[in-house]
């Protein structure tokens, strides 16, 4: 999961959640202001095994 957090002087922080890295990065470029892009990795998520 990908999260964009946007900080503004006039409002409290706003967060947007995305399932796709591509979608999150596209939106990140379009948003103006102070912003942070984060990837959230859950401990319980299954990781594909390379064989």
């Amino acid at each position: 999961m990908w999260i964009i957090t946007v900080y503004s002087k006039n409002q409290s922080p706003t967060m947007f959640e995305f399932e796709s890295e591509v979608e999150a990065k596209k939106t990140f470029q379009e948003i103006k202001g102070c912003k942070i892009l984060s990837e959230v990795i859950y401990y319980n998520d299954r990781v594909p095994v390379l064989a």
Side-chain angles (χ1 to χ4, degrees):
M1 172 175 25
W2 292 82
I3 305 288
I4 297 175
T5 307
V6 182
Y7 296 95
S8 173
K9 290 182 181 180
N10 301 329
Q11 297 177 350
S12 59
T14 305
M15 298 177 79
F16 302 94
E17 182 177 311
F18 301 90
E19 291 295 326
S20 152
E21 177 182 2
V22 173
E23 182 182 13
K25 287 186 175 183
K26 179 181 176 188
T27 304
F28 185 79
Q29 292 177 351
E30 295 172 359
I31 294 176
K32 297 189 186 320
C34 183
K35 58 200 176 195
I36 299 171
L37 176 61
S38 307
E39 181 180 15
V40 178
I41 301 172
Y42 291 102
Y43 179 75
N44 293 335
D45 285 354
R46 291 185 174 210
V47 178
V49 178
L50 301 175

